[in-house]
Amino acid sequence: MTPIYLDNHATTRVDERVVAAMLPYFSEMYGNASSRQHEFGWKAEAAVERARAQVAALIGAQPQEIVFTSGATESINLALKGLAENAPPGRTHLVTVVTEHSAALDSCDRLERAGFEVTRVKVDGWGLVDPDDIRRAITPRTFAVSVMTANNEIGTIAPVGAIGSLCSESGIAFHTDATQAAAAVPLHVGPMNIDLLSLSAHKFYGPKGVGALYVRSGIRPSPQIDGGGHERGFRSGTLNVPGIVGLGMAAELARREGAGDAKREQELRDDFVGRLSADLEGLTVNGHPDLRLPNNASITVEGVRADRLMLDVREVAMSTGSACSSSSPRPSHVLEAIGLGPAGLASTVRFGLGRFTTREEIEKAAECIIAFVRRARAGQMAVEIHPEQ
Ligand SMILES: *Cc1c(COP(=O)(O)O)cnc(C)c1O
């Protein structure tokens, strides 16, 4: 039996409508979008431009402000390194937050090694960053501020509008990693004063390996990939036409259905958490109680090892944290930042619901987890009984 998929922060199933939109661009309209001399190229280019408008519409941008990339990791690298490289003389300082995705934090580490200065602002116990802390971190040398819209582990949504306006007052570029938020949180780059925004198709029912960076017109991050000058020089390389078409369709669906999806997911998530808390003692839901993604539940189960829970409850696909760092045994920097100690870190699981999650699945998942936790707490699941694990 296929497990119940509750790991939608790691990636999502591609919507059938997205697959259908992409298919013709593999073997029928397979032109290079840069081929200006024939119909194959024109059709590919038209499809890319349609997708550009669809992505722009999702976030309230102009189509010409969208740069297609290979995903959010690349978009974030382009935004942060590109802004650093093109910063005016004397502007050598970047402000970010401790709970950012590794794509941002590791880019910052590299910038530090190259001589830039980085301030990593702390968050409160809910994972919320205070805009006043951002304001205090800004110096006359600051060239950019980067704060994620919604956290991929605990779901907390940052006060992006407030941070955007204080950056705009100080004339500092503001980038947000909206990868988890794009489909669930209404985003309008104009009123929110967002100058650059990263997103990725596979986090909202599109294909893997394609994403976008919104770059407000007038802002010019230095390209990080050189070549034929595609994407107005911001990102060279033959465009991934089927992927971009998929991203466009995913964005269109998110724009039309995102609010409805979010409402449904939130009801199911609350029901799921409610079932677990009704039957189990010692549960803590991490992240902000209200300012949070509708589909996220990060739960610390006191006295139960998260790795055991995940291995034993085969019926449910869940995770301990960010898929991007699951290969490294490092404890979650996000859970550490909100104050969890070693015991909490070892007993936290992340659930991510999605467009295709059903009530039946939620009921079944809750049942399996409750049963496991009861067995584990009754001591029948001691590690020694399963030496193979
Ligand atoms: C998944 C994710 C990324 C990385 O996106 P890719 O397209 O997989 O490179 C970056 N930031 C956040 C918040 C994410 O959830």
Side-chain angles (χ1 to χ4, degrees):
M1 202 198 76
T2 316
I4 296 163
Y5 190 70
L6 293 183
D7 199 11
N8 282 280
H9 299 299
T11 195
T12 57
R13 177 171 130 196
V14 183
D15 193 295
E16 294 302 331
R17 294 167 290 181
V18 171
V19 176
M22 291 173 71
L23 281 178
Y25 292 93
F26 286 103
S27 50
E28 290 165 43
M29 293 178 274
Y30 47 80
N32 185 321
S34 305
S35 296
R36 295 275 146 72
Q37 299 83 3
H38 50 69
E39 190 176 321
F40 292 93
W42 302 333
K43 284 199 166 149
E45 194 197 6
V48 166
E49 294 316 312
R50 198 178 320 119
R52 205 183 295 284
Q54 287 168 315
V55 172
L58 178 65
I59 58 171
Q62 295 299 315
Q64 68 274 13
E65 296 173 314
I66 301 299
V67 176
F68 290 119
T69 65
S70 65
T73 298
E74 187 193 328
S75 296
I76 295 164
N77 272 262
L78 171 55
L80 302 187
K81 295 175 185 172
L83 287 172
E85 215 175 291
N86 215 13
R91 295 273 184 160
T92 53
H93 176 240
L94 176 71
V95 176
T96 188
V97 179
V98 288
T99 46
E100 294 291 301
H101 189 270
S102 56
L105 293 176
D106 291 357
S107 292
C108 287
D109 289 350
R110 188 174 295 278
L111 286 171
E112 270 180 335
R113 292 196 294 275
F116 290 92
E117 306 158 75
V118 178
T119 300
R120 296 166 187 81
V121 173
K122 292 194 170 71
V123 295
D124 67 13
W126 285 330
L128 203 59
V129 64
D130 183 344
D132 282 333
D133 288 342
I134 300 281
R135 190 194 302 277
R136 281 189 280 270
I138 292 173
T139 79
R141 295 187 309 282
T142 308
F143 63 87
V145 169
S146 184
V147 179
M148 71 199 318
T149 314
N151 187 270
N152 50 303
E153 293 190 40
I154 56 173
T156 298
I157 297 173
V160 172
I163 297 168
S165 62
L166 74 90
C167 289
S168 150
E169 285 160 21
S170 326
I172 295 166
F174 175 46
H175 167 256
T176 190
D177 170 4
T179 313
Q180 290 292 337
V185 179
L187 292 166
H188 302 282
V189 292
M192 294 170 89
N193 289 295
I194 297 167
D195 297 314
L196 302 100
L197 178 150
S198 294
L199 53 78
S200 183
H202 78 100
K203 298 292 175 75
F204 55 101
Y205 317 101
K208 292 165 187 61
V210 62
L213 178 65
Y214 152 75
V215 184
R216 184 187 290 278
S217 50
I219 292 186
R220 300 207 61 83
S222 293
Q224 302 299 302
I225 299 178
D226 295 308
H230 305 75
E231 297 297 275
R232 294 181 299 126
F234 285 122
R235 202 277 189 179
S236 288
T238 300
L239 295 184
N240 169 7
V241 177
I244 288 168
V245 168
L247 168 60
M249 180 53 100
E252 165 99 35
L253 294 174
R255 188 173 62 77
R256 294 205 309 246
E257 301 174 7
D261 285 343
K263 186 167 175 291
R264 231 191 90 256
E265 286 163 24
Q266 180 163 345
E267 280 168 18
L268 290 179
R269 191 267 320 273
D270 292 346
D271 180 55
F272 178 64
V273 173
R275 280 167 191 270
L276 296 182
S277 330
D279 281 27
L280 300 170
E281 307 271 291
L283 295 196
T284 314
V285 180
N286 302 300
H288 197 280
D290 308 309
L291 303 171
R292 60 184 299 108
L293 288 174
N295 63 330
N296 171 278
S298 165
I299 300 180
T300 305
V301 190
E302 201 186 294
V304 173
R305 279 177 52 178
D307 54 349
R308 298 283 318 179
L309 192 152
M310 287 193 301
L311 280 173
D312 280 72
V313 184
R314 291 289 165 93
E315 299 89 340
V316 185
M318 53 197 143
S319 84
T320 41
S322 153
C324 316
S325 56
S326 292
S327 51
S328 72
R330 254 188 315 166
S332 154
H333 68 285
V334 176
L335 298 177
E336 275 180 337
I338 60 169
L340 270 69
L345 291 170
S347 48
T348 300
V349 270
R350 176 186 71 174
F351 302 95
L353 285 67
R355 180 178 285 165
F356 306 108
T357 306
T358 64
R359 182 164 293 278
E360 209 182 357
E361 287 180 324
I362 284 308
E363 289 169 6
K364 175 87 191 297
E367 219 173 83
C368 295
I369 291 159
I370 290 164
F372 170 81
V373 172
R374 284 191 172 143
R375 284 201 311 276
R377 284 181 174 164
Q380 293 160 21
M381 299 296 291
V383 180
E384 307 78 61
I385 303 173
H386 298 280
E388 78 278 8
Q389 283 168 3

